[in-house]
Amino acid sequence: MMFAQILAYVRNYQMRLYVSGLFYFCCLLCFKQTIAQTALQWQKSMGGRNNEYAYASTPTSDGGYIIVGSTQSNNDGDVPASKAFNGLNGADIWVVKVNTWGEMVWSKTFGGTKDDIATDVLETKDKNILILATTTSTDGDGLGNGTRGGLILLKLKTDGTVLWRKVFAGGYNVGDIAFTKADAYSKPSIKTTADGNYIISANILPLIKTDLWLAKITENAEVLWAKTYGTSQNDWVNEVIVCADGGYLMVGGTEGSNSEVPGAGKGYIDVYLIKTNATGTPEWQKGLGGSNLDEAFSGIQLAGGSFLIVGESNSTNGDFAENLGEKDGFVVNLSTNGTLLWKKQVGGTYADGLYVIRQSANGKIYAFGQSNSTIGTIKPKGSVGDVWITHIDETNGNLKENLLLGGADIEIARGAYATSDGEFIVAANANSVDGDLTHNNGNTDFWLIKTGAPLPVTLSSFSAALTNEQYVKLSWTSLNEAKAKNFVIERSFDLIRFTAIGQVNATGTTTTAKSYTLTDTKPVLGKNYYRLKFYDNINKEFIYKTVLATVSLLSTETEITELLTVYPNPVTGSSFYVKSSEKLNAVPYLLDASGKSLPIEISSSDASHRLISVNHTLKPGLYFLVWDSAGNKIVKKLIVL
């Protein structure tokens, strides 16, 4: 077996261990005491009975979030119909939109009958959604692709409707371009460039070894230029960074030699970094590693111009000689020209990995990955790997605060994006049903994590319903409370101005679900919008979602059919007749289903027959003809066709 084939086998074997839940992670940091400040604000598990793998997430301008990856489920749980599902674990692109609180807004699958995996997502300047994916399909959303594998770029509206798709097609024969299928060790990424276009990095397989592919495209997916990079051996890219000078930095791994990449060639796989200028021309390359497996997964550029790169290493010599266990996470600082400024390994007696690094809105640097070690005084929730979130000191790589999230089974963070409140939305994968997770849909789920100050209340529902008296009853349920003070209901008629109409005291602190109600006895005819707020014991405000109640004082009235007859009913046109069994002195009025009064003209042929005419065309729907006679309300429901 050729050396490259052996290495490919090792990599594929490691991936299978990860996917099956047998990949055993752990970490012990190299400092004695940690003060945890980062916290879990809320979390959401999503999926079907099979496996779902999340790769990336992004906030949206409406306050919600998008999470993308792949699904092997079909019409099950949170997953709609899948083109790829065939009982043999075919994968479709899976895209989920949630609101500010992680509640699902919509869920959609894309792809063809083979494997399609979304690996990156961003919000465009026109407030739509752009998704990058690998595809082995030649049909469905992969139509036009060759049999050797390609890329799909999907642009969606905020409601999930497809605006357009672009297939970067693979070929059919050896030697034709082929984009490799995403896995935990290599994946395409997309970033917005300073001029409003996009840069895509991916892995290609022209013959028998993988190379790096970089392409700049317009906002309409027209290719401006595309270039390939690599050594005589296999090379991989996991992320592209848009640099301050307009160039790009690709981070990944290589099997290449030191003569091809300075610093590489020390072991099976070494860290591979390539810096290009704005047109994709290489400016410098850098390799780092030891005698085993060392790979970079993510990077950022700091305000001073240097780069922070994170990844994992299981070497015990070379650039990663300060091995702390089975496998370490690492943080590397490089100058703008690729000079190594410092490196830091973090780990314990088992294995660690750092797969994403991002800067928060307030300038802090965080990395995301997996660990099951006790970090300072922070203990893991399980023995096979928790999501690991760590705050990094950018001057030396020391870890300043940490958070381990998960349960008894395996969890791992693969993507993260900074939110406007200085926190992060994290795309993770989860198998647990305990610890920080409330449920599991089956095997591996999407796990969406929002960091931030813990909420005083975790809400599971909020609804508005009309009572028999035509009041509006507001109902909500809290799953748990921690130093919660009270709830406030606000009402609006235009979704702009809200006014408080009442409050209810919270339980305070409890892990038991609690139900609450408040009734609005003075709703207006038509649309009433209700917003739920809650406060903690220091009066910090949290705004939950808004619900609608449409009030028609007639919608539950009983028809008095023996007094009135309307014909024809259903009504066609804009006029109808009314026959009454007794003389009615009051003047009738006509309301639509929302309670809005409509102008009418009344003419009589005798005391018991009247012609009702409306001075404009009636839209199809439900209407109410009403007499208020001697204190009694007489109602007749009309259907207009």
Side-chain angles (χ1 to χ4, degrees):
M1 185 179 290
M2 296 176 62
F3 183 65
Q5 292 175 309
I6 293 173
L7 297 182
Y9 175 81
V10 170
R11 290 166 63 87
N12 290 335
Y13 178 70
Q14 285 192 331
M15 182 57 187
R16 289 196 298 272
L17 288 178
Y18 160 69
V19 170
S20 64
L22 299 177
F23 198 48
Y24 196 80
F25 279 90
C26 175
C27 112
L28 180 63
L29 296 185
C30 56
F31 57 97
K32 295 182 179 180
Q33 187 173 3
T34 301
I35 301 174
Q37 297 175 4
T38 307
L40 172 66
Q41 188 171 86
W42 54 256
Q43 57 81 30
K44 176 72 174 181
S45 295
M46 298 167 284
R49 70 183 65 183
N50 294 316
N51 290 309
E52 281 70 51
Y53 298 107
Y55 277 92
S57 58
T58 187
T60 53
S61 298
D62 59 6
Y65 306 98
I66 296 286
I67 182 170
V68 302
S70 66
T71 178
Q72 295 174 345
S73 299
N74 179 52
N75 269 333
D76 181 67
D78 301 310
V79 182
S82 166
K83 298 181 182 70
F85 183 81
N86 56 13
L88 300 174
N89 293 328
D92 257 7
I93 295 164
W94 191 30
V95 184
V96 177
K97 173 71 182 294
V98 302
N99 65 15
T100 305
W101 303 93
E103 298 165 329
M104 187 175 291
V105 177
W106 52 259
S107 162
K108 299 204 174 191
T109 61
F110 304 93
T113 52
K114 293 188 177 180
D115 287 339
D116 308 288
I117 303 167
T119 59
D120 212 352
V121 59
L122 54 83
E123 186 180 47
T124 60
K125 63 183 179 182
D126 57 2
K127 311 306 179 187
N128 291 304
I129 302 158
L130 198 61
I131 298 165
L132 180 64
T134 62
T135 179
T136 58
S137 296
T138 58
D139 57 356
D141 294 303
L143 187 65
N145 186 34
T147 56
R148 301 200 69 223
L151 299 177
I152 296 175
L153 197 60
L154 286 169
K155 187 171 184 180
L156 309 181
K157 293 182 180 179
T158 54
D159 62 1
T161 303
V162 176
L163 286 169
W164 52 255
R165 70 177 178 91
K166 167 77 173 182
V167 176
F168 299 92
Y172 292 87
N173 303 304
V174 174
D176 293 341
I177 190 170
F179 294 90
T180 62
K181 187 171 77 171
D183 59 30
Y185 289 90
S186 62
K187 63 185 182 68
S189 68
I190 184 168
K191 300 288 176 63
T192 304
T193 59
D195 58 6
N197 292 310
Y198 302 103
I199 192 77
I200 296 175
S201 65
N203 300 288
I204 61 171
L205 183 66
L207 293 170
I208 58 173
K209 73 175 190 69
T210 56
D211 287 330
L212 281 58
W213 184 82
L214 190 68
K216 186 173 183 180
I217 65 171
T218 68
E219 59 184 348
N220 295 317
E222 298 171 351
V223 177
L224 297 174
W225 54 259
K227 298 185 179 182
T228 60
Y229 313 83
T231 69
S232 60
Q233 304 300 317
N234 288 303
D235 309 291
W236 301 271
V237 62
N238 286 298
E239 187 175 33
V240 62
I241 303 163
V242 178
C243 303
D245 63 0
Y248 309 101
L249 179 67
M250 291 174 280
V251 303
T254 181
E255 294 173 356
S257 66
N258 180 65
S259 62
E260 295 174 298
V261 181
K266 298 184 180 72
Y268 294 134
I269 299 173
D270 292 321
V271 171
Y272 190 22
L273 307 168
I274 308 177
K275 170 67 170 63
T276 77
N277 64 14
T279 60
T281 301
E283 293 182 333
W284 53 261
Q285 300 183 83
K286 182 77 173 181
L288 295 167
S291 58
N292 290 322
L293 299 173
D294 313 288
E295 188 162 3
F297 290 94
S298 183
I300 59 171
Q301 187 172 27
L302 301 175
S306 67
F307 300 97
L308 286 185
I309 310 297
V310 297
E312 61 183 19
S313 167
N314 67 354
S315 293
T316 59
N317 53 20
D319 296 306
F320 298 111
E322 297 178 3
N323 178 270
L324 300 170
E326 181 181 312
K327 186 170 61 154
D328 297 335
F330 67 74
V331 187
V332 171
N333 186 215
L334 299 169
S335 70
T336 54
N337 62 7
T339 301
L340 179 63
L341 301 176
W342 53 257
K343 61 182 185 295
K344 190 81 171 183
Q345 286 172 258
V346 289
T349 56
Y350 298 103
D352 308 295
L354 293 176
Y355 306 122
V356 190
I357 185 170
R358 297 288 183 260
Q359 189 165 26
S360 71
N362 53 22
K364 293 182 178 180
I365 309 297
Y366 282 82
F368 307 80
Q370 186 185 56
S371 170
N372 67 351
S373 294
T374 297
I375 305 177
T377 59
I378 303 172
K379 296 181 179 181
K381 310 294 170 55
S383 61
V384 289
D386 284 351
V387 166
W388 178 22
I389 304 175
T390 181
H391 177 197
I392 297 173
D393 187 332
E394 66 182 77
T395 63
N396 55 25
N398 287 338
L399 306 185
K400 302 170 71 172
E401 54 181 285
N402 292 271
L403 181 65
L404 295 177
L405 300 173
D409 214 320
I410 188 168
E411 279 75 53
I412 186 169
R414 285 292 178 188
Y417 204 102
T419 54
S420 59
D421 59 357
E423 299 294 339
F424 294 91
I425 192 74
V426 183
N429 300 315
N431 291 269
S432 298
V433 294
D434 57 355
D436 295 304
L437 294 104
T438 53
H439 75 282
N440 178 268
N441 295 281
N443 292 323
T444 305
D445 278 354
F446 275 19
W447 193 27
L448 192 60
I449 296 167
K450 174 64 172 65
T451 66
L455 297 173
V457 176
T458 300
L459 291 162
S460 67
S461 65
F462 177 47
S463 62
L466 294 177
T467 68
N468 289 335
E469 299 82 12
Q470 292 295 281
Y471 299 153
V472 179
K473 182 178 180 181
L474 292 310
S475 305
W476 64 98
T477 300
S478 71
L479 297 177
N480 55 68
E481 299 175 23
K483 298 180 180 180
K485 180 182 178 182
N486 64 328
F487 300 93
V488 173
I489 296 290
E490 295 181 331
R491 184 180 63 195
S492 172
F493 308 124
D494 56 10
L495 284 176
I496 299 174
R497 295 168 298 235
F498 281 87
T499 303
I501 62 169
Q503 72 173 41
V504 176
N505 289 333
T507 301
T509 298
T510 178
T511 57
T512 303
K514 300 291 182 180
S515 295
Y516 300 89
T517 63
L518 185 145
T519 300
D520 180 11
T521 60
K522 297 180 180 179
V524 299
L525 209 59
K527 293 182 178 180
N528 296 259
Y529 297 95
Y530 297 92
R531 185 167 70 183
L532 177 62
K533 288 184 176 180
F534 55 94
Y535 295 81
D536 62 14
N537 61 348
I538 59 172
N539 287 323
K540 184 175 180 180
E541 179 184 86
F542 300 84
I543 301 176
Y544 195 51
K545 64 183 178 182
T546 300
V547 296
L548 169 66
T550 301
V551 177
S552 167
L553 296 179
L554 309 170
S555 58
T556 59
E557 293 284 350
T558 301
E559 286 189 295
I560 307 178
T561 56
E562 65 273 15
L563 293 180
L564 294 176
T565 302
V566 174
Y567 60 95
N569 191 10
V571 177
T572 57
S574 58
S575 64
F576 52 90
Y577 291 93
V578 175
K579 180 180 179 181
S580 60
S581 60
E582 60 184 60
K583 185 177 181 180
L584 297 174
N585 295 319
V587 176
Y589 54 92
L590 185 68
L591 301 178
D592 64 16
S594 69
K596 180 182 178 182
S597 180
L598 303 175
I600 59 175
E601 295 180 358
I602 305 170
S603 57
S604 302
S605 57
D606 55 50
S608 61
H609 287 78
R610 300 188 185 187
L611 173 65
I612 310 294
S613 301
V614 185
N615 60 8
H616 62 81
T617 301
L618 291 175
K619 295 180 180 180
L622 178 66
Y623 294 82
F624 303 93
L625 187 64
V626 184
W627 266 270
D628 283 323
S629 179
N632 296 317
K633 184 183 295 180
I634 303 173
V635 178
K636 186 64 181 179
K637 296 178 182 178
L638 309 178
I639 301 295
V640 175
L641 299 178

Coordinates of all heavy atoms in Angstrom, one line a residue, residues 53-91:
Y53 N -25.2 16.4 11.0 CA -23.9 17.0 11.3 C -23.9 18.5 11.0 O -24.1 18.9 9.8 CB -22.8 16.3 10.6 CG -22.7 14.8 11.0 CD1 -23.1 13.8 10.1 CD2 -22.2 14.5 12.2 CE1 -23.0 12.5 10.4 CE2 -22.1 13.1 12.6 CZ -22.5 12.1 11.7 OH -22.4 10.8 12.0
A54 N -23.7 19.3 12.0 CA -23.7 20.8 11.8 C -22.2 21.2 11.5 O -21.3 20.7 12.2 CB -24.2 21.5 13.0
Y55 N -22.1 22.2 10.6 CA -20.8 22.7 10.3 C -20.6 24.2 10.5 O -19.5 24.7 10.8 CB -20.4 22.4 8.8 CG -19.9 21.0 8.6 CD1 -20.7 20.0 8.2 CD2 -18.5 20.8 8.6 CE1 -20.3 18.7 8.0 CE2 -18.0 19.5 8.4 CZ -18.9 18.5 8.1 OH -18.4 17.2 7.8
A56 N -21.7 25.0 10.4 CA -21.5 26.4 10.5 C -22.8 27.1 10.9 O -23.9 26.5 10.7 CB -21.1 27.0 9.1
S57 N -22.7 28.3 11.4 CA -23.9 29.1 11.8 C -23.6 30.5 11.6 O -22.5 31.0 11.5 CB -24.2 28.8 13.3 OG -23.1 29.2 14.1
T58 N -24.7 31.3 11.5 CA -24.6 32.8 11.4 C -25.8 33.5 11.9 O -26.9 33.0 11.8 CB -24.4 33.2 9.9 OG1 -24.1 34.6 9.8 CG2 -25.6 32.9 9.0
P59 N -25.6 34.6 12.5 CA -26.8 35.5 12.9 C -27.4 36.1 11.7 O -26.7 36.2 10.7 CB -26.2 36.5 13.8 CG -24.8 36.1 14.1 CD -24.4 35.2 13.0
T60 N -28.7 36.4 11.8 CA -29.4 37.2 10.7 C -29.9 38.5 11.2 O -30.0 38.7 12.4 CB -30.5 36.3 10.1 OG1 -31.4 35.9 11.2 CG2 -30.0 35.1 9.4
S61 N -30.1 39.4 10.3 CA -30.5 40.8 10.7 C -31.8 40.9 11.5 O -32.0 41.9 12.2 CB -30.5 41.7 9.5 OG -29.3 41.7 8.8
D62 N -32.6 39.9 11.3 CA -33.9 39.9 12.0 C -33.8 39.4 13.5 O -34.8 39.2 14.1 CB -35.0 39.1 11.3 CG -34.6 37.6 11.0 OD1 -33.5 37.2 11.6 OD2 -35.3 36.9 10.3
G63 N -32.6 39.1 13.9 CA -32.4 38.7 15.3 C -32.4 37.2 15.4 O -32.1 36.6 16.5
G64 N -32.5 36.4 14.3 CA -32.5 35.0 14.4 C -31.1 34.4 14.0 O -30.1 35.2 13.9
Y65 N -31.1 33.1 13.7 CA -29.9 32.4 13.4 C -30.1 31.4 12.3 O -31.2 30.8 12.3 CB -29.2 31.8 14.6 CG -29.1 32.7 15.8 CD1 -30.0 32.8 16.8 CD2 -28.0 33.6 15.8 CE1 -29.8 33.7 17.9 CE2 -27.8 34.5 16.9 CZ -28.7 34.6 17.9 OH -28.5 35.4 18.9
I66 N -29.1 31.1 11.5 CA -29.1 30.0 10.6 C -28.0 29.0 11.0 O -26.9 29.4 11.3 CB -28.8 30.5 9.1 CG1 -29.9 31.5 8.7 CG2 -28.7 29.4 8.2 CD1 -31.2 30.8 8.3
I67 N -28.4 27.7 10.9 CA -27.4 26.7 11.1 C -27.5 25.7 9.9 O -28.6 25.4 9.5 CB -27.6 25.9 12.5 CG1 -26.6 24.9 12.7 CG2 -29.0 25.4 12.6 CD1 -26.6 24.3 14.1
V68 N -26.3 25.3 9.4 CA -26.3 24.4 8.2 C -25.4 23.2 8.4 O -24.4 23.2 9.3 CB -25.8 25.2 7.0 CG1 -26.6 26.4 6.7 CG2 -24.3 25.6 7.1
G69 N -25.6 22.2 7.7 CA -24.8 21.0 7.7 C -25.5 19.9 6.8 O -25.8 20.2 5.7
S70 N -25.6 18.7 7.3 CA -26.2 17.6 6.5 C -27.1 16.8 7.4 O -27.0 16.8 8.6 CB -25.1 16.7 6.0 OG -24.4 16.0 7.0
T71 N -28.0 16.1 6.7 CA -29.0 15.2 7.4 C -29.0 13.9 6.7 O -29.0 13.8 5.5 CB -30.4 15.8 7.5 OG1 -31.3 14.9 8.1 CG2 -30.9 16.2 6.1
Q72 N -29.2 12.8 7.5 CA -29.4 11.5 6.9 C -30.8 11.0 7.3 O -31.2 9.8 7.1 CB -28.4 10.5 7.4 CG -27.0 10.8 7.0 CD -25.9 9.9 7.6 OE1 -26.2 9.3 8.6 NE2 -24.7 9.9 7.0
S73 N -31.7 11.9 7.8 CA -33.1 11.6 8.1 C -34.0 12.0 7.0 O -33.6 12.7 6.0 CB -33.5 12.3 9.4 OG -32.7 11.8 10.5
N74 N -35.2 11.6 7.0 CA -36.2 11.8 6.0 C -37.6 11.9 6.6 O -38.1 10.9 7.1 CB -36.2 10.7 4.9 CG -37.2 11.0 3.8 OD1 -37.2 12.0 3.2 ND2 -38.0 9.9 3.5
N75 N -38.2 13.1 6.5 CA -39.6 13.3 7.0 C -39.7 12.7 8.4 O -40.6 12.0 8.8 CB -40.6 12.6 6.1 CG -41.2 13.5 5.0 OD1 -41.2 14.7 5.2 ND2 -41.6 12.9 3.9
D76 N -38.8 13.2 9.3 CA -38.7 12.6 10.6 C -38.2 13.7 11.6 O -37.2 14.4 11.3 CB -37.7 11.4 10.6 CG -37.7 10.8 12.0 OD1 -38.6 10.2 12.5 OD2 -36.6 10.9 12.6
G77 N -38.8 13.8 12.7 CA -38.4 14.8 13.7 C -38.5 16.2 13.1 O -39.5 16.7 12.6
D78 N -37.4 16.9 13.1 CA -37.3 18.3 12.6 C -37.0 18.4 11.1 O -36.9 19.4 10.5 CB -36.3 19.1 13.4 CG -36.6 19.2 14.9 OD1 -37.7 19.5 15.2 OD2 -35.7 18.9 15.7
V79 N -36.7 17.2 10.5 CA -36.2 17.1 9.2 C -37.3 16.9 8.2 O -38.1 15.9 8.3 CB -35.1 16.1 9.0 CG1 -34.6 16.0 7.6 CG2 -34.0 16.3 10.0
P80 N -37.5 17.7 7.2 CA -38.5 17.5 6.1 C -38.0 16.4 5.1 O -37.0 15.7 5.4 CB -38.7 18.8 5.4 CG -37.3 19.5 5.6 CD -36.8 19.0 6.9
A81 N -38.7 16.2 4.0 CA -38.3 15.2 3.0 C -36.9 15.4 2.5 O -36.5 16.5 2.3 CB -39.3 15.2 1.9
S82 N -36.2 14.3 2.3 CA -34.9 14.3 1.9 C -34.7 13.6 0.5 O -35.2 12.4 0.4 CB -33.9 13.7 2.9 OG -32.7 13.4 2.4
K83 N -34.1 14.2 -0.5 CA -33.9 13.5 -1.7 C -32.9 12.4 -1.7 O -33.0 11.4 -2.4 CB -33.4 14.5 -2.8 CG -34.4 15.7 -3.1 CD -33.8 16.6 -4.1 CE -34.7 17.8 -4.4 NZ -34.7 18.7 -3.3
A84 N -32.0 12.5 -0.7 CA -30.9 11.5 -0.7 C -31.2 10.3 0.1 O -30.5 9.3 0.1 CB -29.6 12.2 -0.1
F85 N -32.3 10.4 0.9 CA -32.6 9.3 1.8 C -33.0 8.0 1.1 O -33.9 8.0 0.3 CB -33.7 9.6 2.8 CG -34.0 8.6 3.8 CD1 -33.2 8.5 4.9 CD2 -35.0 7.7 3.6 CE1 -33.5 7.5 5.9 CE2 -35.3 6.7 4.5 CZ -34.5 6.6 5.7
N86 N -32.2 6.9 1.3 CA -32.6 5.7 0.7 C -32.4 4.5 1.6 O -32.3 3.3 1.1 CB -31.7 5.5 -0.6 CG -30.2 5.6 -0.2 OD1 -29.8 5.5 0.9 ND2 -29.3 5.7 -1.3
G87 N -32.3 4.8 2.9 CA -32.1 3.7 3.8 C -30.7 3.3 4.0 O -30.3 2.4 4.8
L88 N -29.8 3.9 3.2 CA -28.3 3.6 3.2 C -27.5 4.8 3.7 O -26.3 4.9 3.3 CB -27.9 3.1 1.9 CG -28.6 1.9 1.3 CD1 -28.2 1.6 -0.1 CD2 -28.3 0.7 2.2
N89 N -28.1 5.7 4.4 CA -27.4 6.9 5.0 C -27.0 7.9 4.0 O -26.0 8.6 4.1 CB -26.2 6.4 5.8 CG -26.7 5.6 7.0 OD1 -27.7 5.9 7.6 ND2 -25.9 4.7 7.4
G90 N -27.7 8.1 2.9 CA -27.5 9.2 2.0 C -27.7 10.5 2.7 O -28.6 10.6 3.6
A91 N -27.0 11.6 2.4 CA -27.0 12.8 3.1 C -27.5 14.0 2.2 O -27.1 14.1 1.0 CB -25.6 13.2 3.6

